[in-house]
Amino acid sequence: MEQTPSEYSAEEASKIAYEFRRLQDKCYLDHAGTALYGESQMSAVQTMLTGGLFCNPHTSRTMEDLIDLVRFRVLRWFNTRSADYSVVFTSGTTASLKLLAEAFDFTAAQSAAGEEPDQSSRQAGAFVYLRDSHTSVLGMRQVVRTERIGVIERSELLQSLAGSRSGWSNGKKSPLHHRGPSLLAMPAQCNFNGVKYPLELLETVSQNGLPGPYEGDAFQVCLDAASYVSTSYLDLTRHKPSFVCVSFYKIFGYPTGLGALLVRKDAERYLTGKRYFGGGTVQIAMSGTDFHVPRTRLSDRFEDGTLNFLAVASLLACMEQLERLIPPTPTRTTIERISQHAFQLAQHCYRQLQQLEHANGSKVVELYHDTAYSDGRSQGPIVNFNVLNDDGGYVGFAEVACMASNHGIYLRTGCFCNPGACQRHLRLSDDDIRRHFQAGHVCGDANDLIDGQPTGSVRVSFGYMNRLADVERLIGMISRCYIRRSVMGPLVSRKEVLARYKNYDRARLVQICLFPIKSCGPFRVVGAGKEWPLSATGLLYDREFVIVDEHGMAITQKKVATLCLIRPTINLAAKQMTLHHPDVEQDLIVDLADTDDQSDHRPADAPFRLCQTKVCQDNVQGVDCGEDAADWVSLALGVSGLRLLRQTRFHEQRTRRNRSEHQLSLNNQAQFLLINRTSVRWLSDAVDDWGDVDDDGANPPTIDSLVDRFRGNLIIETSRPLEEADWSGVTIGKRQFGVDGPCTRCQMICIDQATGKKTAEPLRTICREFGGKMRFGIYLSHAGTLSDSATLVVDASVSGVYE
């Protein structure tokens, strides 16, 4: 792989690597989402906060002075001064945009001279926003106080600049003084794909306005600079928008929840529409009558309530530490050096992705770009794409994110809160967007393909802490997991697969597996004639317990892979569960006596502690199993502060969302998961390489161990693989079940359940063979009435129902 020049010296690169050694083997590629804070940065913040007294600024004049010092440093960061701009601290860019939308007066006087019609006879100006804007800009149209709201396309905005350069503004009419000021909101850099907008547009629009229906309107420009300033230098001496909105975590990673609205001094007069006041933003306010007088200084007038003063103070250390880590040179600032470094990585990534091809010559990725990544002045360090199969079909972005996570790569998927850019690049019409919504897709979900059409994409973005090795790791993951090395192509027809197998035996239930503790090992019911009771939530005792951390968050194998080494044994007659771990000498015995109404019937001195945790976005109430259980699971997993909880039965049961109502225990999606052993055998044969994530050439697992990875409840064996995917219902013995749909797999199937070791398979083969869809196994739920004595019997006949 070709090398790209480095902006940093070897010593600087070494210091940066040390700052982020906590990443270990993780690869972070979401700098556009947030920068990562450095170790020395946080140490400096801690030293500052613990080394002094930081009071409420309403109490301490010293704190007020410190905050004003930070304002000065923020302005200096953007190469301007307090004589030209005011700094209003907010909770972030979104809050800045909202504040501006609420405060901007579209009927204000156009000039300070006052030689204009009075406000009552003045027509309101227009609010115009670029279509390729963040939803925080789109939201402004809901609160601006003007009915003249419009959207401008990227091509139209760029044409206004081209027209200005070619003399378009010659002969243009002067602003119409019977209209109030207008406001254009636009990004400095698109957060979707990193294209930068020429900042000369700011002067062009301010001086010449916009063509078409807005001719004659005098525009103030609001620059959404959140994405831009994270890795680019915003020089407010050279380019002077009326308003600038920023979030500081985009630059420094910390503090979060802090941003700013920068207001050019001569534009302050347009911000007279603010109505709410609170805290110290008034000179006087009366409670018995509607009378108050706002403060004079803009920041004093707009920063309602108590400022996040500790976060503001922390900014000083953040700016200083970044400049020490990457010092400016005589010709370039710290941010300009970061910009060059990050762009070089994005350029290299773009070119490497461009070159990827399947064996048949088709492209592996579809890139969404507006530049050729030839110049960092027009392109930021963001690369946006979708992965393609060798037949040209799309691989869903959720599947790519899952595979990336399995390889320790952090990236972003979806539409990135920029529906305009997403729609333009994915070639989605308004009707397509509505159709996707009606099909159940909403922002932020994993519904990545609808009728083969992508609803979003994959985004990688680079910052000052990234290295060339990060690009290579991404390219390596895509190459290993998605490139077809032969011309066979992905699985085209299930009939072709089924034709390879003969009907040699009846379909039967070969094993029952329950997982009493979520994400831990299974208890197997094996042997012909063995049976297991059913309950209203599935198999009796299946996923009734969960291990939570010291914060009450449920832990799974995605976080602690060695959970699989906790092996349960259940004695139905004694109603006891015994937990075993190979590294713990003594087993733990857990009472399985029903928890119904325990709070009313336990002795007064017996411990009973109700706790809450979250499973698949549902709040779940559980009973703490006590100190002995907590000590045992903490010892077994080598993590302090863990607790073992059991879901309470008197608490309202969880139900599956978006489907028919069925009670759930702590299952992720459904009451049962069915896995076909024959399908697993077929999948094993399809795997090219069983090497783990870091080491190729490992021996393939046995079929039994591979079946274990799918963590199914009902393990069946049929005459042909994959036939279960066509079932709409299943009969096992005398019990009937409905099919709730396919199981979408995640990286947990890449964890060897016998050792806790992670591998790249079989996830990438599932993705490859099924055209990017990581689905294997089917979800089931009870059908019909469930009696108290209902059971399932091993070796029972299985028959699928076809629609």
Side-chain angles (χ1 to χ4, degrees):
M1 186 174 290
E2 65 179 83
Q3 297 293 307
T4 186
S6 175
E7 169 64 27
Y8 304 147
S9 68
E11 182 181 359
E12 288 170 338
S14 178
K15 287 182 178 179
I16 294 171
Y18 184 82
E19 285 287 320
F20 297 97
R21 64 186 189 276
R22 69 181 185 274
L23 292 181
Q24 298 178 343
D25 63 340
K26 299 178 180 67
C27 175
Y28 183 77
L29 298 179
D30 189 30
H31 191 91
T34 179
L36 295 182
Y37 52 81
E39 186 173 312
S40 63
Q41 173 187 345
M42 299 308 296
S43 296
V45 170
Q46 183 183 25
T47 299
M48 181 191 71
L49 293 179
T50 57
L53 177 62
F54 296 89
C55 301
N56 188 313
H58 297 153
T59 303
S60 169
R61 180 63 190 175
T62 301
M63 193 66 210
E64 284 187 352
D65 292 342
L66 178 61
I67 290 173
D68 283 340
L69 173 62
V70 178
R71 295 187 207 277
F72 168 78
R73 289 296 307 276
V74 167
L75 292 173
R76 194 174 76 178
W77 188 268
F78 299 116
N79 196 29
T80 188
R81 54 183 186 160
S82 57
D84 297 323
Y85 277 90
S86 296
V87 177
V88 177
F89 286 116
T90 66
S91 64
T93 298
T94 297
S96 298
L97 291 165
K98 180 174 180 287
L99 181 61
L100 175 61
E102 292 171 337
F104 192 87
D105 187 354
F106 290 88
T107 61
Q110 293 274 14
S111 67
E115 299 175 359
E116 300 182 14
D118 60 50
Q119 192 164 346
S120 61
S121 62
R122 189 178 300 118
Q123 181 186 9
F127 172 64
V128 181
Y129 60 92
L130 185 70
R131 184 183 295 275
D132 292 9
S133 289
H134 195 276
T135 52
S136 299
V137 171
L138 272 57
M140 296 174 72
R141 66 193 182 196
Q142 303 302 115
V143 295
V144 292
R145 286 192 283 273
T146 179
E147 295 182 359
R148 298 181 61 217
I149 299 175
V151 58
I152 188 169
E153 302 290 345
R154 176 177 183 275
S155 57
E156 295 174 320
L157 189 62
L158 294 178
Q159 284 172 6
S160 69
L161 178 61
S164 174
R165 289 170 174 170
S166 62
W168 163 77
S169 59
N170 291 343
K172 183 174 175 58
K173 298 178 180 178
S174 301
L176 301 177
H177 293 298
H178 67 276
R179 290 182 186 171
S182 293
L183 180 65
L184 169 68
M186 58 169 284
Q189 173 178 292
C190 178
N191 73 310
F192 182 86
N193 67 358
V195 63
K196 295 179 180 179
Y197 289 86
L199 294 184
E200 294 86 350
L201 278 167
L202 304 175
E203 287 73 31
T204 298
V205 173
S206 297
Q207 295 172 8
N208 303 324
L210 294 173
Y214 311 111
E215 188 169 347
D217 283 290
F219 277 90
Q220 305 299 314
V221 180
C222 167
L223 191 68
D224 174 4
S227 179
Y228 184 89
V229 299
S230 64
T231 53
S232 297
Y233 180 49
L234 180 60
D235 186 346
L236 292 182
T237 297
R238 183 178 179 188
H239 302 289
K240 301 179 179 180
S242 302
F243 312 101
V244 182
C245 303
V246 297
S247 293
F248 293 111
Y249 74 94
K250 299 280 188 179
I251 308 172
F252 308 108
Y254 179 89
T256 58
L258 183 67
L261 171 65
L262 277 60
V263 182
R264 201 176 66 217
K265 286 292 186 178
D266 62 351
E268 289 185 6
R269 67 176 182 271
Y270 301 119
L271 302 185
T272 58
K274 182 176 181 290
R275 297 179 178 179
Y276 178 82
F277 66 89
T281 54
V282 291
Q283 300 181 64
I284 185 174
M286 301 179 66
S287 60
T289 185
D290 185 8
F291 176 78
H292 74 280
V293 178
R295 289 194 179 274
T296 304
R297 195 173 73 159
L298 187 75
S299 58
D300 294 339
R301 199 163 69 239
F302 274 65
E303 291 170 354
D304 292 305
T306 300
L307 199 62
N308 190 352
F309 56 93
L310 293 182
V312 173
S314 299
L315 270 181
L316 284 177
C318 296
M319 288 186 278
E320 290 169 359
Q321 288 302 314
L322 187 56
E323 289 181 327
R324 287 175 184 169
L325 192 63
I326 307 170
T329 69
T331 58
R332 284 189 295 176
T333 65
T334 291
I335 286 293
E336 285 175 313
R337 294 191 64 202
I338 290 173
S339 180
Q340 179 65 15
H341 169 78
F343 170 73
Q344 288 173 347
L345 293 178
Q347 181 186 62
H348 185 63
C349 180
Y350 169 82
R351 291 173 177 174
Q352 291 297 313
L353 288 173
Q354 264 191 325
Q355 295 173 13
L356 296 181
E357 291 185 350
H358 291 288
N360 62 6
S362 61
K363 290 291 185 181
V364 177
V365 299
E366 180 175 87
L367 287 154
Y368 304 119
H369 55 100
D370 291 303
T371 77
Y373 287 76
S374 57
D375 191 341
R377 291 172 296 182
S378 61
Q379 178 63 54
I382 298 174
V383 182
N384 198 304
F385 61 94
N386 267 317
V387 177
L388 302 173
N389 295 307
D390 60 350
D391 63 355
Y394 291 95
V395 176
F397 62 74
E399 321 300 342
V400 177
C402 186
M403 187 64 74
S405 178
N406 190 47
H407 285 74
I409 299 173
Y410 290 72
L411 46 71
R412 192 77 170 267
T413 59
C415 270
F416 324 105
C417 298
N418 194 326
C422 186
Q423 189 173 346
R424 176 167 67 89
H425 284 284
L426 270 57
R427 301 177 295 278
L428 299 174
S429 66
D430 289 346
D431 288 340
D432 290 331
I433 299 297
R434 292 190 180 93
R435 181 169 53 83
H436 292 173
F437 178 69
Q438 291 167 357
H441 170 59
V442 296
C443 293
D445 69 9
N447 198 351
D448 49 15
L449 293 175
I450 296 179
D451 297 330
Q453 193 174 40
T455 61
S457 58
V458 180
R459 185 187 74 182
V460 295
S461 50
F462 303 92
Y464 74 90
M465 76 291 295
N466 287 114
R467 304 167 300 163
L468 183 63
D470 296 329
V471 178
E472 295 172 345
R473 188 162 171 179
L474 173 72
I475 301 301
M477 182 274 289
I478 294 174
S479 299
R480 291 186 64 190
C481 299
Y482 296 106
I483 292 182
R484 265 289 186 178
R485 305 298 180 184
S486 66
V487 193
M488 291 175 57
L491 181 66
V492 177
S493 169
R494 188 171 292 119
K495 292 181 179 179
E496 295 178 10
V497 176
L498 300 182
R500 304 172 191 167
Y501 292 78
K502 297 181 179 180
N503 292 315
Y504 61 87
D505 197 4
R506 67 180 176 88
R508 61 193 180 94
L509 178 65
V510 297
Q511 188 177 136
I512 298 172
C513 292
L514 56 145
F515 302 84
I517 305 177
K518 183 175 178 64
S519 235
C520 290
F523 174 64
R524 296 182 178 86
V525 182
V526 296
K530 296 291 180 112
E531 62 181 6
W532 192 262
L534 297 174
S535 71
T537 58
L539 296 172
L540 182 64
Y541 301 132
D542 183 44
R543 294 176 173 89
E544 286 199 2
F545 295 81
V546 62
I547 298 173
V548 301
D549 64 18
E550 59 186 345
H551 306 294
M553 298 296 294
I555 63 172
T556 69
Q557 288 186 33
K558 295 177 183 178
K559 183 177 180 181
V560 182
T562 53
L563 276 166
C564 63
L565 300 181
I566 295 179
R567 310 285 167 76
T569 303
I570 293 180
N571 185 326
L572 275 178
K575 289 191 174 182
Q576 286 184 338
M577 175 173 66
T578 301
L579 299 182
H580 172 77
H581 188 281
D583 296 332
V584 181
E585 291 184 6
Q586 188 172 355
D587 293 344
L588 175 70
I589 297 177
V590 180
D591 186 11
L592 294 179
D594 209 340
T595 57
D596 284 343
D597 301 322
Q598 288 189 33
S599 59
D600 296 329
H601 296 96
R602 293 171 76 97
D605 60 345
F608 186 83
R609 179 182 173 191
L610 283 176
C611 303
Q612 285 208 342
T613 186
K614 209 166 187 179
V615 174
C616 292
Q617 300 181 350
D618 291 335
N619 290 317
V620 176
Q621 186 166 280
V623 177
D624 192 297
C625 295
E627 296 302 323
D628 289 344
D631 292 343
W632 192 91
V633 296
S634 296
L635 177 63
L637 298 174
V639 180
S640 62
L642 301 182
R643 311 293 301 186
L644 179 64
L645 306 184
R646 184 181 187 183
Q647 185 184 21
T648 55
R649 293 186 180 278
F650 56 82
H651 184 65
E652 181 181 357
Q653 294 286 338
R654 296 175 63 231
T655 57
R656 286 183 295 113
R657 297 175 296 276
N658 302 326
R659 297 195 180 110
S660 58
E661 298 292 311
H662 286 286
Q663 291 183 354
L664 293 178
S665 53
L666 301 177
N667 318 65
N668 282 2
Q669 295 290 336
Q671 295 176 331
F672 305 92
L673 173 60
L674 180 145
I675 296 295
N676 186 351
R677 182 182 171 88
T678 310
S679 299
V680 174
R681 185 180 295 109
W682 166 83
L683 177 64
S684 180
D685 293 340
V687 174
D688 296 328
D689 180 7
W690 277 104
D692 62 30
V693 172
D694 301 312
D695 180 27
D696 293 344
N699 294 325
T702 64
I703 297 301
D704 287 336
S705 65
L706 187 53
V707 168
D708 287 346
R709 295 189 183 206
F710 292 98
R711 301 178 62 80
N713 298 116
L714 308 177
I715 313 302
I716 68 169
E717 193 160 37
T718 65
S719 58
R720 297 175 299 173
L722 307 180
E723 59 179 291
E724 70 276 7
D726 291 328
W727 293 347
S728 60
V730 185
T731 299
I732 303 177
K734 297 180 180 180
R735 291 297 309 163
Q736 294 181 343
F737 302 88
V739 173
D740 296 331
C743 176
T744 298
R745 311 310 314 205
C746 66
Q747 63 263 35
M748 277 186 65
I749 66 173
C750 296
I751 299 174
D752 186 331
Q753 295 297 297
T755 64
K757 185 178 181 181
K758 292 184 178 181
T759 67
E761 292 290 3
L763 196 61
R764 66 184 180 193
T765 294
I766 290 176
C767 177
R768 184 192 70 208
E769 294 297 325
F770 294 98
K773 283 298 179 185
M774 295 186 188
R775 294 172 177 174
F776 200 86
I778 56 175
Y779 287 125
L780 304 181
S781 60
H782 287 302
T785 304
L786 182 69
S787 66
D788 293 338
S789 60
T791 62
L792 281 178
V793 181
V794 177
D795 205 43
S797 295
V798 176
S799 60
V801 177
Y802 296 87
E803 288 183 340

